[in-house]
Amino acid sequence: MLRIGNVAVEPPLVLAPMAGITDRDFRLLIRRLGGCGLVSMEFISSEGLTRQRPSTLKMLHFVDEERPIAIQIFGSDPEKMAEAARLVEGMGADVCDINMGCPANKVLKGCAGAALTGDLPLAGRIVRAVRAAVSVPLTVKFRLGLREDAATFLEVGRICQDEGADAVTLHPRTARQQFTGRAEWGAIGALKRSLAIPVVGNGDVTTPEQAVAMRRETGCDAVMIGRASLTNPWIFSQAAALLGGEPYAEPSLAERRTLMRAHFHEVIGREDERTALHKLRRFTGWYTHGLPDGRTLRRRLSELASAQAVLGAVEDYFLAQGAA
Ligand SMILES: Cc1cc2nc3c(=O)[nH]c(=O)nc-3n(C[C@H](O)[C@H](O)[C@H](O)COP(=O)(O)O)c2cc1C
C-alpha cells in the first residue's frame, strides 16, 4: 500500500489529473467502479483561486464519496501558490499536488507547469512556500524536463524531497514532446532509485497488464492512469484485480450502457445545455471506442443538437446491439 503522508492510497492506482475531464462526475464514476486509490481534480490556477474567479471556484466542487482526492494547483509565484494551497487545504483536500508538468504554451509562458523544471531555484521556492503553508500531504507532478537535452527530473525530484514533498509523480516525456513518442519508463525506475519518498509512475498505461508491468519494471510505489480510463473506466478495478493475483472481467455491453446512462444523467442534471451537449459527445466518443458500429453512432452525434437527443441516440445504439 502507498502512503502519502497520512493518506493511504489503496490499491496503489491513481486517476491522473486531466483538465476538462476529471470533473466531479467523472471522478465519482471512477470511484464507484472501484480499484482507484486516489482521484485527482483538473488542475486549478493559483491566480484564479486566489482571486476567487467564479470559473475556477466552480471546478473545485467535490463530495466525500470521492475521497481520498488530490487537488492540483499551478502557478509561478511562490506566495500565490502558498495562498492557493492554504485555500485547497481549507476546502478539505486530502492531498495538495503541485503541477510542474503542463506543457501547454499558455502555461509555460507564465513560467508555470513544466517551465519550472527549467528553473530549479524557482521550483524549489514554490515547494518550500507551499510546504510551509499547509500540513496536508504534498505531492509534485512533473515531466523529464523541458527538452530531451535538458532532462532535469532527477534534480527536480531531489528538490521536492529536500523541500518536504511527501511523494512525486513522473510522466517521463519532455514538455517539447507533449504526447508524442513513448513514455520512457526507465526514467521512473531511475527516479525511484534516487529518492526515499514514494514515486508514482505515469504514462502510456493502456491495459491492466501494463499497470502491473510498470510497477514491476520500475519499482514505482503506485501507477497513475489518465487517457486509458476514458475508453476503459474499468481499468482501475481490472488492474487492482491483477495486482491482487486475480483475473479480471471485461464489462458487458449492458454494464457499459448503465455506466454511460448514470454519467450522462449527472451531467445533464448539473450543466447548462451547451456544456452538457459538448461533454456527452466527447464521452460517448471515448466510451464507445472500439465497440461494434461505434463509429456510426459517433457520426450521428455530430448532427444532434441537444443533450437529450444524444442520450436517445446512445439508448438506440445499445438496443440495436442487443444490450439486455
Ligand atoms: C486532456 C488532458 C488533460 C490533462 N490535464 C492535466 C492536468 O490538468 N494536470 C496534469 O498534471 N496533467 C494533465 N494531463 C497529463 C496527465 O495527467 C498524464 O500525465 C498524461 O496523460 C500521461 O498519462 P496517460 O498516458 O496515462 O494518459 C492531461 C492529459 C490530458 C490527455
Side-chain angles (χ1 to χ4, degrees), residues 16-19 21 42-43 72 99 141 171 173 179 202-205 224-228 282:
M18 288 184 282
I21 296 173
E42 324 168 57
F43 71 172
Q72 186 189 60
N99 179 311
K141 179 167 180 279
H171 173 202
R173 282 188 169 87
F179 285 93
N202 167 239
D204 295 355
V205 168
M224 176 183 274
I225 303 173
R227 291 166 295 171
R282 279 181 99 194

mmCIF file with all atom_site columns, all heavy atoms in Angstrom, residues 16-19 21 42-43 72 99 141 171 173 179 202-205 224-228 282, ligand 1:
data_model
loop_
_atom_site.group_PDB
_atom_site.id
_atom_site.type_symbol
_atom_site.label_atom_id
_atom_site.label_alt_id
_atom_site.label_comp_id
_atom_site.label_asym_id
_atom_site.label_entity_id
_atom_site.label_seq_id
_atom_site.pdbx_PDB_ins_code
_atom_site.Cartn_x
_atom_site.Cartn_y
_atom_site.Cartn_z
_atom_site.occupancy
_atom_site.B_iso_or_equiv
_atom_site.pdbx_formal_charge
_atom_site.auth_seq_id
_atom_site.auth_comp_id
_atom_site.auth_asym_id
_atom_site.auth_atom_id
_atom_site.pdbx_PDB_model_num
ATOM   1   N N   . ALA A 1 16  ? -5.261  10.091 -13.017 1.00 0.00 ? 16  ALA A N   1
ATOM   2   C CA  . ALA A 1 16  ? -4.451  11.270 -13.368 1.00 0.00 ? 16  ALA A CA  1
ATOM   3   C C   . ALA A 1 16  ? -5.319  12.521 -13.465 1.00 0.00 ? 16  ALA A C   1
ATOM   4   O O   . ALA A 1 16  ? -6.487  12.435 -13.862 1.00 0.00 ? 16  ALA A O   1
ATOM   5   C CB  . ALA A 1 16  ? -3.764  11.036 -14.712 1.00 0.00 ? 16  ALA A CB  1
ATOM   6   N N   . PRO A 1 17  ? -4.748  13.674 -13.116 1.00 0.00 ? 17  PRO A N   1
ATOM   7   C CA  . PRO A 1 17  ? -5.494  14.913 -13.347 1.00 0.00 ? 17  PRO A CA  1
ATOM   8   C C   . PRO A 1 17  ? -5.584  15.164 -14.849 1.00 0.00 ? 17  PRO A C   1
ATOM   9   O O   . PRO A 1 17  ? -4.581  15.062 -15.559 1.00 0.00 ? 17  PRO A O   1
ATOM   10  C CB  . PRO A 1 17  ? -4.623  15.984 -12.666 1.00 0.00 ? 17  PRO A CB  1
ATOM   11  C CG  . PRO A 1 17  ? -3.243  15.403 -12.625 1.00 0.00 ? 17  PRO A CG  1
ATOM   12  C CD  . PRO A 1 17  ? -3.408  13.906 -12.562 1.00 0.00 ? 17  PRO A CD  1
ATOM   13  N N   . MET A 1 18  ? -6.779  15.473 -15.331 1.00 0.00 ? 18  MET A N   1
ATOM   14  C CA  . MET A 1 18  ? -6.938  15.804 -16.754 1.00 0.00 ? 18  MET A CA  1
ATOM   15  C C   . MET A 1 18  ? -7.898  16.986 -16.874 1.00 0.00 ? 18  MET A C   1
ATOM   16  O O   . MET A 1 18  ? -9.087  16.863 -16.556 1.00 0.00 ? 18  MET A O   1
ATOM   17  C CB  . MET A 1 18  ? -7.445  14.596 -17.544 1.00 0.00 ? 18  MET A CB  1
ATOM   18  C CG  . MET A 1 18  ? -6.385  13.509 -17.713 1.00 0.00 ? 18  MET A CG  1
ATOM   19  S SD  . MET A 1 18  ? -6.945  12.130 -18.743 1.00 0.00 ? 18  MET A SD  1
ATOM   20  C CE  . MET A 1 18  ? -7.985  11.230 -17.598 1.00 0.00 ? 18  MET A CE  1
ATOM   21  N N   . ALA A 1 19  ? -7.335  18.104 -17.334 1.00 0.00 ? 19  ALA A N   1
ATOM   22  C CA  . ALA A 1 19  ? -8.114  19.336 -17.455 1.00 0.00 ? 19  ALA A CA  1
ATOM   23  C C   . ALA A 1 19  ? -9.284  19.114 -18.409 1.00 0.00 ? 19  ALA A C   1
ATOM   24  O O   . ALA A 1 19  ? -9.116  18.506 -19.473 1.00 0.00 ? 19  ALA A O   1
ATOM   25  C CB  . ALA A 1 19  ? -7.219  20.465 -17.957 1.00 0.00 ? 19  ALA A CB  1
ATOM   26  N N   . ILE A 1 21  ? -11.664 17.145 -18.018 1.00 0.00 ? 21  ILE A N   1
ATOM   27  C CA  . ILE A 1 21  ? -12.151 15.761 -17.995 1.00 0.00 ? 21  ILE A CA  1
ATOM   28  C C   . ILE A 1 21  ? -12.432 15.267 -16.575 1.00 0.00 ? 21  ILE A C   1
ATOM   29  O O   . ILE A 1 21  ? -13.520 14.788 -16.283 1.00 0.00 ? 21  ILE A O   1
ATOM   30  C CB  . ILE A 1 21  ? -11.133 14.823 -18.681 1.00 0.00 ? 21  ILE A CB  1
ATOM   31  C CG1 . ILE A 1 21  ? -11.019 15.195 -20.162 1.00 0.00 ? 21  ILE A CG1 1
ATOM   32  C CG2 . ILE A 1 21  ? -11.564 13.361 -18.522 1.00 0.00 ? 21  ILE A CG2 1
ATOM   33  C CD1 . ILE A 1 21  ? -9.952  14.465 -20.916 1.00 0.00 ? 21  ILE A CD1 1
ATOM   34  N N   . GLU A 1 42  ? -9.047  18.275 -11.917 1.00 0.00 ? 42  GLU A N   1
ATOM   35  C CA  . GLU A 1 42  ? -8.395  19.003 -13.024 1.00 0.00 ? 42  GLU A CA  1
ATOM   36  C C   . GLU A 1 42  ? -7.495  20.064 -12.408 1.00 0.00 ? 42  GLU A C   1
ATOM   37  O O   . GLU A 1 42  ? -7.752  20.507 -11.285 1.00 0.00 ? 42  GLU A O   1
ATOM   38  C CB  . GLU A 1 42  ? -9.430  19.738 -13.874 1.00 0.00 ? 42  GLU A CB  1
ATOM   39  C CG  . GLU A 1 42  ? -10.727 19.027 -14.036 1.00 0.00 ? 42  GLU A CG  1
ATOM   40  C CD  . GLU A 1 42  ? -11.824 19.915 -14.627 1.00 0.00 ? 42  GLU A CD  1
ATOM   41  O OE1 . GLU A 1 42  ? -11.610 20.446 -15.713 1.00 0.00 ? 42  GLU A OE1 1
ATOM   42  O OE2 . GLU A 1 42  ? -12.876 20.041 -14.007 1.00 0.00 ? 42  GLU A OE2 1
ATOM   43  N N   . PHE A 1 43  ? -6.455  20.512 -13.103 1.00 0.00 ? 43  PHE A N   1
ATOM   44  C CA  . PHE A 1 43  ? -5.576  21.480 -12.462 1.00 0.00 ? 43  PHE A CA  1
ATOM   45  C C   . PHE A 1 43  ? -6.274  22.827 -12.260 1.00 0.00 ? 43  PHE A C   1
ATOM   46  O O   . PHE A 1 43  ? -7.145  23.221 -13.019 1.00 0.00 ? 43  PHE A O   1
ATOM   47  C CB  . PHE A 1 43  ? -4.202  21.589 -13.128 1.00 0.00 ? 43  PHE A CB  1
ATOM   48  C CG  . PHE A 1 43  ? -4.153  22.248 -14.485 1.00 0.00 ? 43  PHE A CG  1
ATOM   49  C CD1 . PHE A 1 43  ? -2.912  22.530 -15.055 1.00 0.00 ? 43  PHE A CD1 1
ATOM   50  C CD2 . PHE A 1 43  ? -5.281  22.575 -15.194 1.00 0.00 ? 43  PHE A CD2 1
ATOM   51  C CE1 . PHE A 1 43  ? -2.821  23.130 -16.297 1.00 0.00 ? 43  PHE A CE1 1
ATOM   52  C CE2 . PHE A 1 43  ? -5.195  23.183 -16.438 1.00 0.00 ? 43  PHE A CE2 1
ATOM   53  C CZ  . PHE A 1 43  ? -3.968  23.453 -16.978 1.00 0.00 ? 43  PHE A CZ  1
ATOM   54  N N   . GLN A 1 72  ? -4.884  19.672 -7.542  1.00 0.00 ? 72  GLN A N   1
ATOM   55  C CA  . GLN A 1 72  ? -3.620  20.129 -8.127  1.00 0.00 ? 72  GLN A CA  1
ATOM   56  C C   . GLN A 1 72  ? -3.695  21.622 -8.455  1.00 0.00 ? 72  GLN A C   1
ATOM   57  O O   . GLN A 1 72  ? -4.669  22.079 -9.043  1.00 0.00 ? 72  GLN A O   1
ATOM   58  C CB  . GLN A 1 72  ? -3.342  19.357 -9.410  1.00 0.00 ? 72  GLN A CB  1
ATOM   59  C CG  . GLN A 1 72  ? -1.985  19.672 -10.009 1.00 0.00 ? 72  GLN A CG  1
ATOM   60  C CD  . GLN A 1 72  ? -1.807  19.080 -11.391 1.00 0.00 ? 72  GLN A CD  1
ATOM   61  O OE1 . GLN A 1 72  ? -2.549  19.382 -12.315 1.00 0.00 ? 72  GLN A OE1 1
ATOM   62  N NE2 . GLN A 1 72  ? -0.813  18.218 -11.525 1.00 0.00 ? 72  GLN A NE2 1
ATOM   63  N N   . ASN A 1 99  ? 1.560   21.265 -9.886  1.00 0.00 ? 99  ASN A N   1
ATOM   64  C CA  . ASN A 1 99  ? 1.786   20.917 -11.295 1.00 0.00 ? 99  ASN A CA  1
ATOM   65  C C   . ASN A 1 99  ? 3.105   21.520 -11.773 1.00 0.00 ? 99  ASN A C   1
ATOM   66  O O   . ASN A 1 99  ? 3.263   22.737 -11.810 1.00 0.00 ? 99  ASN A O   1
ATOM   67  C CB  . ASN A 1 99  ? 0.614   21.437 -12.139 1.00 0.00 ? 99  ASN A CB  1
ATOM   68  C CG  . ASN A 1 99  ? 0.790   21.142 -13.621 1.00 0.00 ? 99  ASN A CG  1
ATOM   69  O OD1 . ASN A 1 99  ? 1.845   21.399 -14.192 1.00 0.00 ? 99  ASN A OD1 1
ATOM   70  N ND2 . ASN A 1 99  ? -0.230  20.604 -14.250 1.00 0.00 ? 99  ASN A ND2 1
ATOM   71  N N   . LYS A 1 141 ? 3.960   16.852 -9.410  1.00 0.00 ? 141 LYS A N   1
ATOM   72  C CA  . LYS A 1 141 ? 3.926   16.042 -10.636 1.00 0.00 ? 141 LYS A CA  1
ATOM   73  C C   . LYS A 1 141 ? 4.720   16.754 -11.726 1.00 0.00 ? 141 LYS A C   1
ATOM   74  O O   . LYS A 1 141 ? 4.502   17.935 -11.980 1.00 0.00 ? 141 LYS A O   1
ATOM   75  C CB  . LYS A 1 141 ? 2.473   15.855 -11.076 1.00 0.00 ? 141 LYS A CB  1
ATOM   76  C CG  . LYS A 1 141 ? 2.280   15.047 -12.352 1.00 0.00 ? 141 LYS A CG  1
ATOM   77  C CD  . LYS A 1 141 ? 0.813   14.661 -12.514 1.00 0.00 ? 141 LYS A CD  1
ATOM   78  C CE  . LYS A 1 141 ? 0.559   13.859 -13.770 1.00 0.00 ? 141 LYS A CE  1
ATOM   79  N NZ  . LYS A 1 141 ? 0.452   14.701 -14.963 1.00 0.00 ? 141 LYS A NZ  1
ATOM   80  N N   . HIS A 1 171 ? 5.794   11.743 -15.229 1.00 0.00 ? 171 HIS A N   1
ATOM   81  C CA  . HIS A 1 171 ? 5.333   11.359 -16.572 1.00 0.00 ? 171 HIS A CA  1
ATOM   82  C C   . HIS A 1 171 ? 6.558   11.523 -17.474 1.00 0.00 ? 171 HIS A C   1
ATOM   83  O O   . HIS A 1 171 ? 6.905   12.653 -17.848 1.00 0.00 ? 171 HIS A O   1
ATOM   84  C CB  . HIS A 1 171 ? 4.172   12.286 -17.015 1.00 0.00 ? 171 HIS A CB  1
ATOM   85  C CG  . HIS A 1 171 ? 3.761   12.063 -18.436 1.00 0.00 ? 171 HIS A CG  1
ATOM   86  N ND1 . HIS A 1 171 ? 3.086   13.007 -19.182 1.00 0.00 ? 171 HIS A ND1 1
ATOM   87  C CD2 . HIS A 1 171 ? 3.917   11.000 -19.261 1.00 0.00 ? 171 HIS A CD2 1
ATOM   88  C CE1 . HIS A 1 171 ? 2.865   12.534 -20.394 1.00 0.00 ? 171 HIS A CE1 1
ATOM   89  N NE2 . HIS A 1 171 ? 3.353   11.323 -20.465 1.00 0.00 ? 171 HIS A NE2 1
ATOM   90  N N   . ARG A 1 173 ? 8.040   12.046 -20.225 1.00 0.00 ? 173 ARG A N   1
ATOM   91  C CA  . ARG A 1 173 ? 8.198   12.670 -21.539 1.00 0.00 ? 173 ARG A CA  1
ATOM   92  C C   . ARG A 1 173 ? 8.708   14.074 -21.255 1.00 0.00 ? 173 ARG A C   1
ATOM   93  O O   . ARG A 1 173 ? 8.512   14.588 -20.150 1.00 0.00 ? 173 ARG A O   1
ATOM   94  C CB  . ARG A 1 173 ? 6.851   12.800 -22.263 1.00 0.00 ? 173 ARG A CB  1
ATOM   95  C CG  . ARG A 1 173 ? 6.308   11.556 -22.889 1.00 0.00 ? 173 ARG A CG  1
ATOM   96  C CD  . ARG A 1 173 ? 5.070   11.888 -23.726 1.00 0.00 ? 173 ARG A CD  1
ATOM   97  N NE  . ARG A 1 173 ? 4.656   10.777 -24.554 1.00 0.00 ? 173 ARG A NE  1
ATOM   98  C CZ  . ARG A 1 173 ? 3.836   9.804  -24.152 1.00 0.00 ? 173 ARG A CZ  1
ATOM   99  N NH1 . ARG A 1 173 ? 3.324   9.825  -22.944 1.00 0.00 ? 173 ARG A NH1 1
ATOM   100 N NH2 . ARG A 1 173 ? 3.519   8.831  -24.971 1.00 0.00 ? 173 ARG A NH2 1
ATOM   101 N N   . PHE A 1 179 ? 2.697   14.856 -26.222 1.00 0.00 ? 179 PHE A N   1
ATOM   102 C CA  . PHE A 1 179 ? 2.271   13.460 -26.050 1.00 0.00 ? 179 PHE A CA  1
ATOM   103 C C   . PHE A 1 179 ? 2.832   12.564 -27.149 1.00 0.00 ? 179 PHE A C   1
ATOM   104 O O   . PHE A 1 179 ? 2.356   11.456 -27.341 1.00 0.00 ? 179 PHE A O   1
ATOM   105 C CB  . PHE A 1 179 ? 0.735   13.364 -26.019 1.00 0.00 ? 179 PHE A CB  1
ATOM   106 C CG  . PHE A 1 179 ? 0.169   13.839 -24.715 1.00 0.00 ? 179 PHE A CG  1
ATOM   107 C CD1 . PHE A 1 179 ? -0.223  15.157 -24.554 1.00 0.00 ? 179 PHE A CD1 1
ATOM   108 C CD2 . PHE A 1 179 ? 0.074   12.984 -23.620 1.00 0.00 ? 179 PHE A CD2 1
ATOM   109 C CE1 . PHE A 1 179 ? -0.721  15.611 -23.344 1.00 0.00 ? 179 PHE A CE1 1
ATOM   110 C CE2 . PHE A 1 179 ? -0.419  13.423 -22.404 1.00 0.00 ? 179 PHE A CE2 1
ATOM   111 C CZ  . PHE A 1 179 ? -0.819  14.742 -22.268 1.00 0.00 ? 179 PHE A CZ  1
ATOM   112 N N   . ASN A 1 202 ? 3.771   7.212  -14.247 1.00 0.00 ? 202 ASN A N   1
ATOM   113 C CA  . ASN A 1 202 ? 2.649   7.598  -15.111 1.00 0.00 ? 202 ASN A CA  1
ATOM   114 C C   . ASN A 1 202 ? 3.106   7.643  -16.572 1.00 0.00 ? 202 ASN A C   1
ATOM   115 O O   . ASN A 1 202 ? 4.237   8.013  -16.856 1.00 0.00 ? 202 ASN A O   1
ATOM   116 C CB  . ASN A 1 202 ? 2.144   8.985  -14.651 1.00 0.00 ? 202 ASN A CB  1
ATOM   117 C CG  . ASN A 1 202 ? 1.189   9.638  -15.650 1.00 0.00 ? 202 ASN A CG  1
ATOM   118 O OD1 . ASN A 1 202 ? 1.455   10.735 -16.135 1.00 0.00 ? 202 ASN A OD1 1
ATOM   119 N ND2 . ASN A 1 202 ? 0.093   8.988  -15.944 1.00 0.00 ? 202 ASN A ND2 1
ATOM   120 N N   . GLY A 1 203 ? 2.198   7.251  -17.463 1.00 0.00 ? 203 GLY A N   1
ATOM   121 C CA  . GLY A 1 203 ? 2.476   7.411  -18.883 1.00 0.00 ? 203 GLY A CA  1
ATOM   122 C C   . GLY A 1 203 ? 2.305   6.154  -19.693 1.00 0.00 ? 203 GLY A C   1
ATOM   123 O O   . GLY A 1 203 ? 3.011   5.164  -19.483 1.00 0.00 ? 203 GLY A O   1
ATOM   124 N N   . ASP A 1 204 ? 1.326   6.196  -20.618 1.00 0.00 ? 204 ASP A N   1
ATOM   125 C CA  . ASP A 1 204 ? 1.129   5.142  -21.612 1.00 0.00 ? 204 ASP A CA  1
ATOM   126 C C   . ASP A 1 204 ? 0.688   3.803  -21.038 1.00 0.00 ? 204 ASP A C   1
ATOM   127 O O   . ASP A 1 204 ? 0.890   2.771  -21.682 1.00 0.00 ? 204 ASP A O   1
ATOM   128 C CB  . ASP A 1 204 ? 2.401   4.943  -22.458 1.00 0.00 ? 204 ASP A CB  1
ATOM   129 C CG  . ASP A 1 204 ? 2.727   6.164  -23.293 1.00 0.00 ? 204 ASP A CG  1
ATOM   130 O OD1 . ASP A 1 204 ? 1.933   7.121  -23.283 1.00 0.00 ? 204 ASP A OD1 1
ATOM   131 O OD2 . ASP A 1 204 ? 3.783   6.162  -23.956 1.00 0.00 ? 204 ASP A OD2 1
ATOM   132 N N   . VAL A 1 205 ? 0.100   3.791  -19.864 1.00 0.00 ? 205 VAL A N   1
ATOM   133 C CA  . VAL A 1 205 ? -0.517  2.548  -19.391 1.00 0.00 ? 205 VAL A CA  1
ATOM   134 C C   . VAL A 1 205 ? -1.879  2.450  -20.069 1.00 0.00 ? 205 VAL A C   1
ATOM   135 O O   . VAL A 1 205 ? -2.752  3.280  -19.824 1.00 0.00 ? 205 VAL A O   1
ATOM   136 C CB  . VAL A 1 205 ? -0.669  2.544  -17.853 1.00 0.00 ? 205 VAL A CB  1
ATOM   137 C CG1 . VAL A 1 205 ? -1.562  1.387  -17.402 1.00 0.00 ? 205 VAL A CG1 1
ATOM   138 C CG2 . VAL A 1 205 ? 0.695   2.449  -17.191 1.00 0.00 ? 205 VAL A CG2 1
ATOM   139 N N   . MET A 1 224 ? -0.196  5.787  -12.000 1.00 0.00 ? 224 MET A N   1
ATOM   140 C CA  . MET A 1 224 ? -1.231  6.775  -12.332 1.00 0.00 ? 224 MET A CA  1
ATOM   141 C C   . MET A 1 224 ? -1.683  6.543  -13.769 1.00 0.00 ? 224 MET A C   1
ATOM   142 O O   . MET A 1 224 ? -0.856  6.367  -14.658 1.00 0.00 ? 224 MET A O   1
ATOM   143 C CB  . MET A 1 224 ? -0.668  8.184  -12.169 1.00 0.00 ? 224 MET A CB  1
ATOM   144 C CG  . MET A 1 224 ? -1.628  9.272  -12.581 1.00 0.00 ? 224 MET A CG  1
ATOM   145 S SD  . MET A 1 224 ? -0.882  10.911 -12.459 1.00 0.00 ? 224 MET A SD  1
ATOM   146 C CE  . MET A 1 224 ? -1.176  11.309 -10.760 1.00 0.00 ? 224 MET A CE  1
ATOM   147 N N   . ILE A 1 225 ? -3.003  6.547  -13.960 1.00 0.00 ? 225 ILE A N   1
ATOM   148 C CA  . ILE A 1 225 ? -3.555  6.281  -15.293 1.00 0.00 ? 225 ILE A CA  1
ATOM   149 C C   . ILE A 1 225 ? -4.445  7.440  -15.716 1.00 0.00 ? 225 ILE A C   1
ATOM   150 O O   . ILE A 1 225 ? -5.301  7.887  -14.940 1.00 0.00 ? 225 ILE A O   1
ATOM   151 C CB  . ILE A 1 225 ? -4.371  4.965  -15.303 1.00 0.00 ? 225 ILE A CB  1
ATOM   152 C CG1 . ILE A 1 225 ? -3.496  3.796  -14.828 1.00 0.00 ? 225 ILE A CG1 1
ATOM   153 C CG2 . ILE A 1 225 ? -4.943  4.690  -16.696 1.00 0.00 ? 225 ILE A CG2 1
ATOM   154 C CD1 . ILE A 1 225 ? -4.240  2.490  -14.640 1.00 0.00 ? 225 ILE A CD1 1
ATOM   155 N N   . GLY A 1 226 ? -4.229  7.918  -16.930 1.00 0.00 ? 226 GLY A N   1
ATOM   156 C CA  . GLY A 1 226 ? -5.028  9.025  -17.449 1.00 0.00 ? 226 GLY A CA  1
ATOM   157 C C   . GLY A 1 226 ? -5.904  8.593  -18.614 1.00 0.00 ? 226 GLY A C   1
ATOM   158 O O   . GLY A 1 226 ? -7.018  8.096  -18.430 1.00 0.00 ? 226 GLY A O   1
ATOM   159 N N   . ARG A 1 227 ? -5.360  8.750  -19.824 1.00 0.00 ? 227 ARG A N   1
ATOM   160 C CA  . ARG A 1 227 ? -6.181  8.609  -21.023 1.00 0.00 ? 227 ARG A CA  1
ATOM   161 C C   . ARG A 1 227 ? -6.883  7.259  -21.144 1.00 0.00 ? 227 ARG A C   1
ATOM   162 O O   . ARG A 1 227 ? -8.017  7.193  -21.630 1.00 0.00 ? 227 ARG A O   1
ATOM   163 C CB  . ARG A 1 227 ? -5.310  8.873  -22.262 1.00 0.00 ? 227 ARG A CB  1
ATOM   164 C CG  . ARG A 1 227 ? -4.897  10.329 -22.371 1.00 0.00 ? 227 ARG A CG  1
ATOM   165 C CD  . ARG A 1 227 ? -3.791  10.532 -23.358 1.00 0.00 ? 227 ARG A CD  1
ATOM   166 N NE  . ARG A 1 227 ? -2.551  9.881  -22.936 1.00 0.00 ? 227 ARG A NE  1
ATOM   167 C CZ  . ARG A 1 227 ? -1.480  9.746  -23.675 1.00 0.00 ? 227 ARG A CZ  1
ATOM   168 N NH1 . ARG A 1 227 ? -1.480  10.187 -24.910 1.00 0.00 ? 227 ARG A NH1 1
ATOM   169 N NH2 . ARG A 1 227 ? -0.390  9.153  -23.202 1.00 0.00 ? 227 ARG A NH2 1
ATOM   170 N N   . ALA A 1 228 ? -6.233  6.182  -20.711 1.00 0.00 ? 228 ALA A N   1
ATOM   171 C CA  . ALA A 1 228 ? -6.858  4.862  -20.876 1.00 0.00 ? 228 ALA A CA  1
ATOM   172 C C   . ALA A 1 228 ? -8.158  4.744  -20.087 1.00 0.00 ? 228 ALA A C   1
ATOM   173 O O   . ALA A 1 228 ? -9.032  3.940  -20.433 1.00 0.00 ? 228 ALA A O   1
ATOM   174 C CB  . ALA A 1 228 ? -5.879  3.764  -20.449 1.00 0.00 ? 228 ALA A CB  1
ATOM   175 N N   . ARG A 1 282 ? -18.278 14.181 -26.310 1.00 0.00 ? 282 ARG A N   1
ATOM   176 C CA  . ARG A 1 282 ? -16.885 13.751 -26.064 1.00 0.00 ? 282 ARG A CA  1
ATOM   177 C C   . ARG A 1 282 ? -16.841 12.385 -25.389 1.00 0.00 ? 282 ARG A C   1
ATOM   178 O O   . ARG A 1 282 ? -16.112 11.490 -25.810 1.00 0.00 ? 282 ARG A O   1
ATOM   179 C CB  . ARG A 1 282 ? -16.177 14.745 -25.125 1.00 0.00 ? 282 ARG A CB  1
ATOM   180 C CG  . ARG A 1 282 ? -15.667 15.977 -25.791 1.00 0.00 ? 282 ARG A CG  1
ATOM   181 C CD  . ARG A 1 282 ? -14.982 16.831 -24.755 1.00 0.00 ? 282 ARG A CD  1
ATOM   182 N NE  . ARG A 1 282 ? -13.548 16.675 -24.765 1.00 0.00 ? 282 ARG A NE  1
ATOM   183 C CZ  . ARG A 1 282 ? -12.752 17.112 -23.793 1.00 0.00 ? 282 ARG A CZ  1
ATOM   184 N NH1 . ARG A 1 282 ? -13.266 17.695 -22.729 1.00 0.00 ? 282 ARG A NH1 1
ATOM   185 N NH2 . ARG A 1 282 ? -11.445 16.964 -23.873 1.00 0.00 ? 282 ARG A NH2 1
HETATM 186 C C1  . LIG B 2 .   ? -6.794  16.111 -21.861 1.00 0.00 ? 1   LIG B C1  1
HETATM 187 C C2  . LIG B 2 .   ? -5.675  16.021 -20.866 1.00 0.00 ? 1   LIG B C2  1
HETATM 188 C C3  . LIG B 2 .   ? -5.609  16.930 -19.827 1.00 0.00 ? 1   LIG B C3  1
HETATM 189 C C4  . LIG B 2 .   ? -4.559  16.881 -18.884 1.00 0.00 ? 1   LIG B C4  1
HETATM 190 N N1  . LIG B 2 .   ? -4.555  17.752 -17.846 1.00 0.00 ? 1   LIG B N1  1
HETATM 191 C C5  . LIG B 2 .   ? -3.585  17.655 -16.900 1.00 0.00 ? 1   LIG B C5  1
HETATM 192 C C6  . LIG B 2 .   ? -3.596  18.475 -15.743 1.00 0.00 ? 1   LIG B C6  1
HETATM 193 O O1  . LIG B 2 .   ? -4.508  19.296 -15.539 1.00 0.00 ? 1   LIG B O1  1
HETATM 194 N N2  . LIG B 2 .   ? -2.578  18.336 -14.850 1.00 0.00 ? 1   LIG B N2  1
HETATM 195 C C7  . LIG B 2 .   ? -1.567  17.427 -15.030 1.00 0.00 ? 1   LIG B C7  1
HETATM 196 O O2  . LIG B 2 .   ? -0.668  17.320 -14.206 1.00 0.00 ? 1   LIG B O2  1
HETATM 197 N N3  . LIG B 2 .   ? -1.550  16.615 -16.108 1.00 0.00 ? 1   LIG B N3  1
HETATM 198 C C8  . LIG B 2 .   ? -2.540  16.703 -17.017 1.00 0.00 ? 1   LIG B C8  1
HETATM 199 N N4  . LIG B 2 .   ? -2.534  15.837 -18.071 1.00 0.00 ? 1   LIG B N4  1
HETATM 200 C C9  . LIG B 2 .   ? -1.498  14.798 -18.147 1.00 0.00 ? 1   LIG B C9  1
HETATM 201 C C10 . LIG B 2 .   ? -1.979  13.516 -17.459 1.00 0.00 ? 1   LIG B C10 1
HETATM 202 O O3  . LIG B 2 .   ? -2.194  13.731 -16.085 1.00 0.00 ? 1   LIG B O3  1
HETATM 203 C C11 . LIG B 2 .   ? -0.943  12.394 -17.645 1.00 0.00 ? 1   LIG B C11 1
HETATM 204 O O4  . LIG B 2 .   ? 0.272   12.805 -17.084 1.00 0.00 ? 1   LIG B O4  1
HETATM 205 C C12 . LIG B 2 .   ? -0.729  12.042 -19.108 1.00 0.00 ? 1   LIG B C12 1
HETATM 206 O O5  . LIG B 2 .   ? -1.954  11.957 -19.817 1.00 0.00 ? 1   LIG B O5  1
HETATM 207 C C13 . LIG B 2 .   ? 0.053   10.734 -19.271 1.00 0.00 ? 1   LIG B C13 1
HETATM 208 O O6  . LIG B 2 .   ? -0.650  9.660  -18.690 1.00 0.00 ? 1   LIG B O6  1
HETATM 209 P P1  . LIG B 2 .   ? -1.523  8.621  -19.600 1.00 0.00 ? 1   LIG B P1  1
HETATM 210 O O7  . LIG B 2 .   ? -0.619  8.112  -20.675 1.00 0.00 ? 1   LIG B O7  1
HETATM 211 O O8  . LIG B 2 .   ? -1.984  7.575  -18.635 1.00 0.00 ? 1   LIG B O8  1
HETATM 212 O O9  . LIG B 2 .   ? -2.663  9.411  -20.186 1.00 0.00 ? 1   LIG B O9  1
HETATM 213 C C14 . LIG B 2 .   ? -3.563  15.884 -19.013 1.00 0.00 ? 1   LIG B C14 1
HETATM 214 C C15 . LIG B 2 .   ? -3.634  14.980 -20.060 1.00 0.00 ? 1   LIG B C15 1
HETATM 215 C C16 . LIG B 2 .   ? -4.680  15.027 -20.976 1.00 0.00 ? 1   LIG B C16 1
HETATM 216 C C17 . LIG B 2 .   ? -4.736  13.991 -22.083 1.00 0.00 ? 1   LIG B C17 1
#
